[in-house]
Amino acid sequence: MSFLDRMKKTRIARSIVYFIVGVFSYPGIAVINKLKITGGENLRNLPARNVLFVSNHQTYFADVITFLHIFCAVKWKRFNRLGFPIYLLNPFTRVNYVAAGKTMKSSLLSRFFSWAGAITVKRTWNPDARDSRKGLNPSDTRNISKALAENWVITFPQGTTKPFAPCRKGTAYLIKKSNPTVIPVVIDGFSKAFGKKGLNLKARGVKLRVTFKEPLRFSGNESLDEIMQVVMDSIEQSERFADPLQA
């Protein structure tokens, strides 16, 4: 591991990144737009490691940054609100998030934000079917497993901001292999409020919703397809949610 990679994992480096990104992003999340957090009590008393947050995905950065704000607020015993962001002075930094390697190299913002705990992965696509995913490659899965052994991890099972896209099998494999505490998250409003590839505002006064659901329970005997179905139902991205008549 290079010196730079070791630096990225230090609390002081992450704290500096959290503070800078947090100060600039807070107005767009909680002042210009309005964040509503539901289910924050489900974050109470979670273990310090091996917790996997699975969520639908709407923007490249605003989603994750909002999660980090919330986790820092939870450290300060604010479970369903942010309040004034004094929590940025002592943030909760034991978090990693899964992101496409190409995305995290696409701009100065993304390169800087990668210091907040990015686990970069390669997108693996089936060349014969644009919407069919083969999952994560083995080295990426190992890196995420290592992160889970030490921290909380945020992942987006669909691997895209396209609504109702299919789940990646790598997420199910990770759940089966690492047996983490799995917290489903449903978000809404971010694609309306923010640009897809940055923190630029598209609209004002948007209600940003983040709902943390109760942990999912797995016996360990489920197939990968069964795990994928449970995850997609929990983040409200399965076929029955795409069709209002089935939801």
Side-chain angles (χ1 to χ4, degrees):
M1 183 183 294
S2 68
F3 173 76
L4 190 62
D5 288 335
R6 289 196 297 270
M7 277 294 296
K8 286 182 178 181
K9 291 190 173 185
T10 63
R11 172 173 167 75
I12 187 168
R14 288 195 185 182
S15 295
I16 292 170
V17 174
Y18 275 40
F19 183 83
I20 294 172
V21 173
V23 166
F24 280 100
S25 61
Y26 179 84
I29 293 169
V31 180
I32 299 172
N33 295 297
K34 301 299 180 183
L35 176 64
K36 180 176 176 57
I37 306 166
T38 305
E41 62 276 5
N42 291 317
L43 306 184
R44 193 188 301 268
N45 299 323
L46 286 176
R49 57 184 60 85
N50 206 30
V51 178
L52 183 67
F53 293 85
V54 292
S55 175
N56 61 313
H57 200 17
Q58 295 192 339
T59 71
Y60 290 175
F61 300 109
D63 309 1
V64 172
I65 290 172
T66 300
F67 286 177
L68 298 183
H69 273 284
I70 294 170
F71 296 159
C72 291
V74 165
K75 180 179 179 180
W76 287 60
K77 307 302 181 184
R78 301 172 184 174
F79 292 97
N80 283 309
R81 65 185 182 91
L82 294 185
F84 189 76
I86 192 172
Y87 51 75
L88 294 173
L89 296 175
N90 184 20
F92 180 76
T93 60
R94 296 188 62 171
V95 186
N96 293 97
Y97 62 94
V98 180
K102 185 176 180 180
T103 298
M104 300 313 294
K105 295 178 181 178
S106 63
S107 67
L108 288 176
L109 170 65
S110 61
R111 289 175 182 271
F112 179 70
F113 188 52
S114 69
W115 282 62
I119 308 170
T120 56
V121 299
K122 295 178 181 178
R123 286 198 179 103
T124 51
W125 298 85
N126 183 333
D128 298 322
R130 187 168 50 185
D131 286 331
S132 178
R133 288 166 176 72
K134 293 186 279 186
L136 295 174
N137 70 39
S139 63
D140 291 338
T141 302
R142 285 193 296 270
N143 289 337
I144 299 172
S145 296
K146 289 178 183 178
L148 273 173
E150 300 177 355
N151 297 324
W152 292 1
V153 173
I154 304 163
T155 190
F156 302 98
Q158 296 160 284
T160 176
T161 56
K162 181 181 177 181
F164 308 110
C167 182
R168 296 178 308 193
K169 190 163 287 189
T171 299
Y173 176 78
L174 188 67
I175 291 172
K176 195 172 183 71
K177 178 178 182 292
S178 299
N179 191 29
T181 300
V182 182
I183 305 292
V185 191
V186 178
I187 65 172
D188 190 35
F190 290 85
S191 58
K192 296 178 183 177
F194 298 98
K196 182 178 178 179
K197 298 182 179 181
L199 290 174
N200 56 302
L201 291 172
K202 290 171 55 179
R204 297 169 177 263
V206 177
K207 287 186 177 180
L208 306 176
R209 301 180 186 275
V210 179
T211 301
F212 295 96
K213 297 186 176 181
E214 293 183 1
L216 299 178
R217 306 295 180 187
F218 295 102
S219 67
N221 297 320
E222 296 88 353
S223 68
L224 296 183
D225 286 340
E226 288 171 335
I227 294 173
M228 289 164 63
Q229 186 61 53
V230 171
V231 167
M232 292 298 280
D233 282 342
S234 70
I235 65 173
E236 301 179 8
Q237 291 293 300
S238 58
E239 289 182 4
R240 70 187 185 92
F241 288 95
D243 184 351
L245 297 178
Q246 297 184 46

PDB file of all heavy atoms in Angstrom, residues 62-89:
ATOM      1  N   ALA A  62     -24.269  13.624  -4.307  1.00  0.00           N
ATOM      2  CA  ALA A  62     -25.160  14.187  -3.286  1.00  0.00           C
ATOM      3  C   ALA A  62     -25.747  13.119  -2.377  1.00  0.00           C
ATOM      4  O   ALA A  62     -25.926  13.346  -1.172  1.00  0.00           O
ATOM      5  CB  ALA A  62     -26.283  14.998  -3.946  1.00  0.00           C
ATOM      6  N   ASP A  63     -26.050  11.937  -2.929  1.00  0.00           N
ATOM      7  CA  ASP A  63     -26.601  10.853  -2.114  1.00  0.00           C
ATOM      8  C   ASP A  63     -25.632  10.485  -0.982  1.00  0.00           C
ATOM      9  O   ASP A  63     -26.001  10.478   0.201  1.00  0.00           O
ATOM     10  CB  ASP A  63     -26.825   9.586  -2.957  1.00  0.00           C
ATOM     11  CG  ASP A  63     -27.612   9.811  -4.227  1.00  0.00           C
ATOM     12  OD1 ASP A  63     -27.985  10.958  -4.505  1.00  0.00           O
ATOM     13  OD2 ASP A  63     -27.844   8.828  -4.948  1.00  0.00           O
ATOM     14  N   VAL A  64     -24.399  10.175  -1.353  1.00  0.00           N
ATOM     15  CA  VAL A  64     -23.413   9.725  -0.370  1.00  0.00           C
ATOM     16  C   VAL A  64     -23.095  10.833   0.624  1.00  0.00           C
ATOM     17  O   VAL A  64     -22.986  10.593   1.834  1.00  0.00           O
ATOM     18  CB  VAL A  64     -22.121   9.254  -1.071  1.00  0.00           C
ATOM     19  CG1 VAL A  64     -21.028   8.969  -0.056  1.00  0.00           C
ATOM     20  CG2 VAL A  64     -22.399   8.010  -1.899  1.00  0.00           C
ATOM     21  N   ILE A  65     -22.934  12.055   0.138  1.00  0.00           N
ATOM     22  CA  ILE A  65     -22.617  13.170   1.028  1.00  0.00           C
ATOM     23  C   ILE A  65     -23.711  13.358   2.062  1.00  0.00           C
ATOM     24  O   ILE A  65     -23.441  13.617   3.251  1.00  0.00           O
ATOM     25  CB  ILE A  65     -22.387  14.457   0.212  1.00  0.00           C
ATOM     26  CG1 ILE A  65     -21.077  14.336  -0.569  1.00  0.00           C
ATOM     27  CG2 ILE A  65     -22.364  15.691   1.114  1.00  0.00           C
ATOM     28  CD1 ILE A  65     -20.845  15.455  -1.563  1.00  0.00           C
ATOM     29  N   THR A  66     -24.962  13.191   1.657  1.00  0.00           N
ATOM     30  CA  THR A  66     -26.073  13.307   2.606  1.00  0.00           C
ATOM     31  C   THR A  66     -26.004  12.201   3.650  1.00  0.00           C
ATOM     32  O   THR A  66     -26.232  12.439   4.846  1.00  0.00           O
ATOM     33  CB  THR A  66     -27.423  13.260   1.872  1.00  0.00           C
ATOM     34  OG1 THR A  66     -27.480  14.353   0.942  1.00  0.00           O
ATOM     35  CG2 THR A  66     -28.590  13.373   2.850  1.00  0.00           C
ATOM     36  N   PHE A  67     -25.683  10.977   3.228  1.00  0.00           N
ATOM     37  CA  PHE A  67     -25.522   9.891   4.191  1.00  0.00           C
ATOM     38  C   PHE A  67     -24.449  10.235   5.219  1.00  0.00           C
ATOM     39  O   PHE A  67     -24.619   9.981   6.419  1.00  0.00           O
ATOM     40  CB  PHE A  67     -25.125   8.596   3.475  1.00  0.00           C
ATOM     41  CG  PHE A  67     -26.230   7.931   2.701  1.00  0.00           C
ATOM     42  CD1 PHE A  67     -25.975   6.795   1.955  1.00  0.00           C
ATOM     43  CD2 PHE A  67     -27.515   8.426   2.699  1.00  0.00           C
ATOM     44  CE1 PHE A  67     -26.975   6.171   1.238  1.00  0.00           C
ATOM     45  CE2 PHE A  67     -28.524   7.819   1.985  1.00  0.00           C
ATOM     46  CZ  PHE A  67     -28.258   6.676   1.251  1.00  0.00           C
ATOM     47  N   LEU A  68     -23.342  10.791   4.751  1.00  0.00           N
ATOM     48  CA  LEU A  68     -22.258  11.127   5.676  1.00  0.00           C
ATOM     49  C   LEU A  68     -22.696  12.202   6.667  1.00  0.00           C
ATOM     50  O   LEU A  68     -22.351  12.134   7.855  1.00  0.00           O
ATOM     51  CB  LEU A  68     -21.025  11.571   4.891  1.00  0.00           C
ATOM     52  CG  LEU A  68     -20.412  10.529   3.954  1.00  0.00           C
ATOM     53  CD1 LEU A  68     -19.156  11.085   3.285  1.00  0.00           C
ATOM     54  CD2 LEU A  68     -20.107   9.232   4.669  1.00  0.00           C
ATOM     55  N   HIS A  69     -23.447  13.191   6.192  1.00  0.00           N
ATOM     56  CA  HIS A  69     -24.016  14.183   7.118  1.00  0.00           C
ATOM     57  C   HIS A  69     -24.857  13.492   8.188  1.00  0.00           C
ATOM     58  O   HIS A  69     -24.740  13.790   9.387  1.00  0.00           O
ATOM     59  CB  HIS A  69     -24.904  15.170   6.343  1.00  0.00           C
ATOM     60  CG  HIS A  69     -24.192  16.339   5.759  1.00  0.00           C
ATOM     61  ND1 HIS A  69     -23.764  17.417   6.522  1.00  0.00           N
ATOM     62  CD2 HIS A  69     -23.856  16.638   4.484  1.00  0.00           C
ATOM     63  CE1 HIS A  69     -23.193  18.318   5.744  1.00  0.00           C
ATOM     64  NE2 HIS A  69     -23.227  17.873   4.499  1.00  0.00           N
ATOM     65  N   ILE A  70     -25.723  12.581   7.750  1.00  0.00           N
ATOM     66  CA  ILE A  70     -26.628  11.906   8.684  1.00  0.00           C
ATOM     67  C   ILE A  70     -25.854  11.069   9.692  1.00  0.00           C
ATOM     68  O   ILE A  70     -26.137  11.100  10.900  1.00  0.00           O
ATOM     69  CB  ILE A  70     -27.639  11.035   7.917  1.00  0.00           C
ATOM     70  CG1 ILE A  70     -28.577  11.916   7.082  1.00  0.00           C
ATOM     71  CG2 ILE A  70     -28.459  10.172   8.882  1.00  0.00           C
ATOM     72  CD1 ILE A  70     -29.458  11.161   6.108  1.00  0.00           C
ATOM     73  N   PHE A  71     -24.863  10.325   9.230  1.00  0.00           N
ATOM     74  CA  PHE A  71     -24.092   9.482  10.142  1.00  0.00           C
ATOM     75  C   PHE A  71     -23.339  10.324  11.172  1.00  0.00           C
ATOM     76  O   PHE A  71     -23.223   9.935  12.338  1.00  0.00           O
ATOM     77  CB  PHE A  71     -23.112   8.608   9.356  1.00  0.00           C
ATOM     78  CG  PHE A  71     -23.760   7.613   8.434  1.00  0.00           C
ATOM     79  CD1 PHE A  71     -23.048   7.078   7.367  1.00  0.00           C
ATOM     80  CD2 PHE A  71     -25.075   7.213   8.617  1.00  0.00           C
ATOM     81  CE1 PHE A  71     -23.640   6.153   6.517  1.00  0.00           C
ATOM     82  CE2 PHE A  71     -25.678   6.290   7.764  1.00  0.00           C
ATOM     83  CZ  PHE A  71     -24.952   5.759   6.715  1.00  0.00           C
ATOM     84  N   CYS A  72     -22.825  11.460  10.733  1.00  0.00           N
ATOM     85  CA  CYS A  72     -22.142  12.357  11.675  1.00  0.00           C
ATOM     86  C   CYS A  72     -23.131  12.910  12.701  1.00  0.00           C
ATOM     87  O   CYS A  72     -22.809  13.011  13.896  1.00  0.00           O
ATOM     88  CB  CYS A  72     -21.470  13.498  10.923  1.00  0.00           C
ATOM     89  SG  CYS A  72     -20.066  12.992   9.908  1.00  0.00           S
ATOM     90  N   ALA A  73     -24.336  13.264  12.251  1.00  0.00           N
ATOM     91  CA  ALA A  73     -25.359  13.765  13.173  1.00  0.00           C
ATOM     92  C   ALA A  73     -25.771  12.681  14.166  1.00  0.00           C
ATOM     93  O   ALA A  73     -25.994  12.965  15.352  1.00  0.00           O
ATOM     94  CB  ALA A  73     -26.570  14.266  12.388  1.00  0.00           C
ATOM     95  N   VAL A  74     -25.862  11.429  13.691  1.00  0.00           N
ATOM     96  CA  VAL A  74     -26.217  10.316  14.578  1.00  0.00           C
ATOM     97  C   VAL A  74     -25.175  10.164  15.682  1.00  0.00           C
ATOM     98  O   VAL A  74     -25.517   9.871  16.836  1.00  0.00           O
ATOM     99  CB  VAL A  74     -26.360   9.010  13.768  1.00  0.00           C
ATOM    100  CG1 VAL A  74     -26.353   7.790  14.681  1.00  0.00           C
ATOM    101  CG2 VAL A  74     -27.639   9.038  12.944  1.00  0.00           C
ATOM    102  N   LYS A  75     -23.913  10.372  15.348  1.00  0.00           N
ATOM    103  CA  LYS A  75     -22.857  10.303  16.359  1.00  0.00           C
ATOM    104  C   LYS A  75     -23.120  11.313  17.472  1.00  0.00           C
ATOM    105  O   LYS A  75     -22.776  11.084  18.634  1.00  0.00           O
ATOM    106  CB  LYS A  75     -21.496  10.573  15.707  1.00  0.00           C
ATOM    107  CG  LYS A  75     -20.325  10.525  16.686  1.00  0.00           C
ATOM    108  CD  LYS A  75     -19.001  10.778  15.992  1.00  0.00           C
ATOM    109  CE  LYS A  75     -17.856  10.751  16.990  1.00  0.00           C
ATOM    110  NZ  LYS A  75     -16.541  10.995  16.343  1.00  0.00           N
ATOM    111  N   TRP A  76     -23.778  12.419  17.113  1.00  0.00           N
ATOM    112  CA  TRP A  76     -24.113  13.461  18.074  1.00  0.00           C
ATOM    113  C   TRP A  76     -25.544  13.288  18.614  1.00  0.00           C
ATOM    114  O   TRP A  76     -26.136  14.225  19.129  1.00  0.00           O
ATOM    115  CB  TRP A  76     -23.951  14.838  17.430  1.00  0.00           C
ATOM    116  CG  TRP A  76     -22.515  15.227  17.233  1.00  0.00           C
ATOM    117  CD1 TRP A  76     -21.563  14.572  16.499  1.00  0.00           C
ATOM    118  CD2 TRP A  76     -21.850  16.367  17.784  1.00  0.00           C
ATOM    119  NE1 TRP A  76     -20.364  15.227  16.545  1.00  0.00           N
ATOM    120  CE2 TRP A  76     -20.503  16.339  17.319  1.00  0.00           C
ATOM    121  CE3 TRP A  76     -22.254  17.423  18.603  1.00  0.00           C
ATOM    122  CZ2 TRP A  76     -19.581  17.309  17.671  1.00  0.00           C
ATOM    123  CZ3 TRP A  76     -21.324  18.404  18.943  1.00  0.00           C
ATOM    124  CH2 TRP A  76     -20.003  18.341  18.484  1.00  0.00           C
ATOM    125  N   LYS A  77     -26.089  12.069  18.456  1.00  0.00           N
ATOM    126  CA  LYS A  77     -27.409  11.701  18.993  1.00  0.00           C
ATOM    127  C   LYS A  77     -28.559  12.430  18.322  1.00  0.00           C
ATOM    128  O   LYS A  77     -29.622  12.628  18.916  1.00  0.00           O
ATOM    129  CB  LYS A  77     -27.467  11.928  20.515  1.00  0.00           C
ATOM    130  CG  LYS A  77     -26.345  11.264  21.285  1.00  0.00           C
ATOM    131  CD  LYS A  77     -26.294   9.762  21.075  1.00  0.00           C
ATOM    132  CE  LYS A  77     -25.167   9.122  21.876  1.00  0.00           C
ATOM    133  NZ  LYS A  77     -25.037   7.655  21.610  1.00  0.00           N
ATOM    134  N   ARG A  78     -28.373  12.818  17.072  1.00  0.00           N
ATOM    135  CA  ARG A  78     -29.469  13.410  16.296  1.00  0.00           C
ATOM    136  C   ARG A  78     -29.897  12.366  15.267  1.00  0.00           C
ATOM    137  O   ARG A  78     -29.242  12.200  14.248  1.00  0.00           O
ATOM    138  CB  ARG A  78     -29.016  14.683  15.600  1.00  0.00           C
ATOM    139  CG  ARG A  78     -28.504  15.775  16.540  1.00  0.00           C
ATOM    140  CD  ARG A  78     -27.908  16.914  15.738  1.00  0.00           C
ATOM    141  NE  ARG A  78     -27.325  17.938  16.594  1.00  0.00           N
ATOM    142  CZ  ARG A  78     -26.642  18.980  16.137  1.00  0.00           C
ATOM    143  NH1 ARG A  78     -26.431  19.114  14.825  1.00  0.00           N
ATOM    144  NH2 ARG A  78     -26.131  19.872  16.968  1.00  0.00           N
ATOM    145  N   PHE A  79     -30.994  11.687  15.523  1.00  0.00           N
ATOM    146  CA  PHE A  79     -31.334  10.524  14.721  1.00  0.00           C
ATOM    147  C   PHE A  79     -32.258  10.822  13.539  1.00  0.00           C
ATOM    148  O   PHE A  79     -32.251  10.083  12.564  1.00  0.00           O
ATOM    149  CB  PHE A  79     -31.951   9.445  15.611  1.00  0.00           C
ATOM    150  CG  PHE A  79     -30.963   8.860  16.583  1.00  0.00           C
ATOM    151  CD1 PHE A  79     -30.885   9.321  17.889  1.00  0.00           C
ATOM    152  CD2 PHE A  79     -30.086   7.872  16.184  1.00  0.00           C
ATOM    153  CE1 PHE A  79     -29.969   8.804  18.782  1.00  0.00           C
ATOM    154  CE2 PHE A  79     -29.150   7.338  17.060  1.00  0.00           C
ATOM    155  CZ  PHE A  79     -29.097   7.804  18.364  1.00  0.00           C
ATOM    156  N   ASN A  80     -33.039  11.853  13.598  1.00  0.00           N
ATOM    157  CA  ASN A  80     -33.937  12.168  12.481  1.00  0.00           C
ATOM    158  C   ASN A  80     -33.831  13.629  12.046  1.00  0.00           C
ATOM    159  O   ASN A  80     -34.764  14.180  11.465  1.00  0.00           O
ATOM    160  CB  ASN A  80     -35.388  11.824  12.837  1.00  0.00           C
ATOM    161  CG  ASN A  80     -35.647  10.326  12.760  1.00  0.00           C
ATOM    162  OD1 ASN A  80     -35.329   9.683  11.759  1.00  0.00           O
ATOM    163  ND2 ASN A  80     -36.194   9.758  13.821  1.00  0.00           N
ATOM    164  N   ARG A  81     -32.705  14.237  12.334  1.00  0.00           N
ATOM    165  CA  ARG A  81     -32.478  15.629  11.918  1.00  0.00           C
ATOM    166  C   ARG A  81     -30.979  15.889  11.892  1.00  0.00           C
ATOM    167  O   ARG A  81     -30.196  15.202  12.556  1.00  0.00           O
ATOM    168  CB  ARG A  81     -33.159  16.607  12.871  1.00  0.00           C
ATOM    169  CG  ARG A  81     -32.578  16.591  14.275  1.00  0.00           C
ATOM    170  CD  ARG A  81     -33.353  17.474  15.239  1.00  0.00           C
ATOM    171  NE  ARG A  81     -32.731  17.475  16.564  1.00  0.00           N
ATOM    172  CZ  ARG A  81     -31.800  18.343  16.959  1.00  0.00           C
ATOM    173  NH1 ARG A  81     -31.398  19.303  16.124  1.00  0.00           N
ATOM    174  NH2 ARG A  81     -31.285  18.289  18.164  1.00  0.00           N
ATOM    175  N   LEU A  82     -30.603  16.903  11.131  1.00  0.00           N
ATOM    176  CA  LEU A  82     -29.200  17.302  11.113  1.00  0.00           C
ATOM    177  C   LEU A  82     -28.931  18.392  12.140  1.00  0.00           C
ATOM    178  O   LEU A  82     -27.940  18.337  12.858  1.00  0.00           O
ATOM    179  CB  LEU A  82     -28.807  17.801   9.712  1.00  0.00           C
ATOM    180  CG  LEU A  82     -28.810  16.784   8.569  1.00  0.00           C
ATOM    181  CD1 LEU A  82     -28.276  17.435   7.290  1.00  0.00           C
ATOM    182  CD2 LEU A  82     -28.011  15.542   8.909  1.00  0.00           C
ATOM    183  N   GLY A  83     -29.815  19.399  12.182  1.00  0.00           N
ATOM    184  CA  GLY A  83     -29.528  20.541  13.024  1.00  0.00           C
ATOM    185  C   GLY A  83     -28.355  21.327  12.473  1.00  0.00           C
ATOM    186  O   GLY A  83     -27.902  21.122  11.344  1.00  0.00           O
ATOM    187  N   PHE A  84     -27.822  22.234  13.276  1.00  0.00           N
ATOM    188  CA  PHE A  84     -26.649  23.002  12.849  1.00  0.00           C
ATOM    189  C   PHE A  84     -25.457  22.056  12.750  1.00  0.00           C
ATOM    190  O   PHE A  84     -25.244  21.215  13.635  1.00  0.00           O
ATOM    191  CB  PHE A  84     -26.361  24.124  13.857  1.00  0.00           C
ATOM    192  CG  PHE A  84     -25.321  25.093  13.389  1.00  0.00           C
ATOM    193  CD1 PHE A  84     -25.621  26.055  12.435  1.00  0.00           C
ATOM    194  CD2 PHE A  84     -24.026  25.036  13.895  1.00  0.00           C
ATOM    195  CE1 PHE A  84     -24.657  26.953  11.992  1.00  0.00           C
ATOM    196  CE2 PHE A  84     -23.059  25.932  13.465  1.00  0.00           C
ATOM    197  CZ  PHE A  84     -23.380  26.885  12.507  1.00  0.00           C
ATOM    198  N   PRO A  85     -24.650  22.153  11.679  1.00  0.00           N
ATOM    199  CA  PRO A  85     -23.621  21.128  11.429  1.00  0.00           C
ATOM    200  C   PRO A  85     -22.371  21.224  12.285  1.00  0.00           C
ATOM    201  O   PRO A  85     -21.241  21.078  11.792  1.00  0.00           O
ATOM    202  CB  PRO A  85     -23.299  21.336   9.947  1.00  0.00           C
ATOM    203  CG  PRO A  85     -23.523  22.788   9.716  1.00  0.00           C
ATOM    204  CD  PRO A  85     -24.728  23.136  10.573  1.00  0.00           C
ATOM    205  N   ILE A  86     -22.560  21.419  13.570  1.00  0.00           N
ATOM    206  CA  ILE A  86     -21.412  21.414  14.479  1.00  0.00           C
ATOM    207  C   ILE A  86     -20.769  20.037  14.529  1.00  0.00           C
ATOM    208  O   ILE A  86     -19.594  19.881  14.891  1.00  0.00           O
ATOM    209  CB  ILE A  86     -21.841  21.878  15.892  1.00  0.00           C
ATOM    210  CG1 ILE A  86     -20.607  22.152  16.762  1.00  0.00           C
ATOM    211  CG2 ILE A  86     -22.792  20.871  16.537  1.00  0.00           C
ATOM    212  CD1 ILE A  86     -20.929  22.790  18.096  1.00  0.00           C
ATOM    213  N   TYR A  87     -21.539  19.016  14.113  1.00  0.00           N
ATOM    214  CA  TYR A  87     -21.011  17.647  14.102  1.00  0.00           C
ATOM    215  C   TYR A  87     -19.811  17.497  13.167  1.00  0.00           C
ATOM    216  O   TYR A  87     -19.052  16.530  13.275  1.00  0.00           O
ATOM    217  CB  TYR A  87     -22.112  16.660  13.707  1.00  0.00           C
ATOM    218  CG  TYR A  87     -22.870  17.013  12.446  1.00  0.00           C
ATOM    219  CD1 TYR A  87     -22.311  16.849  11.178  1.00  0.00           C
ATOM    220  CD2 TYR A  87     -24.169  17.523  12.521  1.00  0.00           C
ATOM    221  CE1 TYR A  87     -23.003  17.183  10.027  1.00  0.00           C
ATOM    222  CE2 TYR A  87     -24.877  17.865  11.373  1.00  0.00           C
ATOM    223  CZ  TYR A  87     -24.287  17.683  10.126  1.00  0.00           C
ATOM    224  OH  TYR A  87     -24.974  18.017   8.988  1.00  0.00           O
ATOM    225  N   LEU A  88     -19.615  18.440  12.237  1.00  0.00           N
ATOM    226  CA  LEU A  88     -18.473  18.363  11.333  1.00  0.00           C
ATOM    227  C   LEU A  88     -17.151  18.596  12.057  1.00  0.00           C
ATOM    228  O   LEU A  88     -16.082  18.288  11.518  1.00  0.00           O
ATOM    229  CB  LEU A  88     -18.636  19.374  10.196  1.00  0.00           C
ATOM    230  CG  LEU A  88     -19.792  19.115   9.230  1.00  0.00           C
ATOM    231  CD1 LEU A  88     -19.939  20.278   8.257  1.00  0.00           C
ATOM    232  CD2 LEU A  88     -19.586  17.802   8.481  1.00  0.00           C
ATOM    233  N   LEU A  89     -17.213  19.117  13.275  1.00  0.00           N
ATOM    234  CA  LEU A  89     -15.996  19.324  14.057  1.00  0.00           C
ATOM    235  C   LEU A  89     -15.470  18.008  14.642  1.00  0.00           C
ATOM    236  O   LEU A  89     -14.295  17.906  14.983  1.00  0.00           O
ATOM    237  CB  LEU A  89     -16.256  20.324  15.193  1.00  0.00           C
ATOM    238  CG  LEU A  89     -16.629  21.736  14.747  1.00  0.00           C
ATOM    239  CD1 LEU A  89     -16.979  22.592  15.958  1.00  0.00           C
ATOM    240  CD2 LEU A  89     -15.489  22.360  13.950  1.00  0.00           C
TER     241      LEU A  89
END
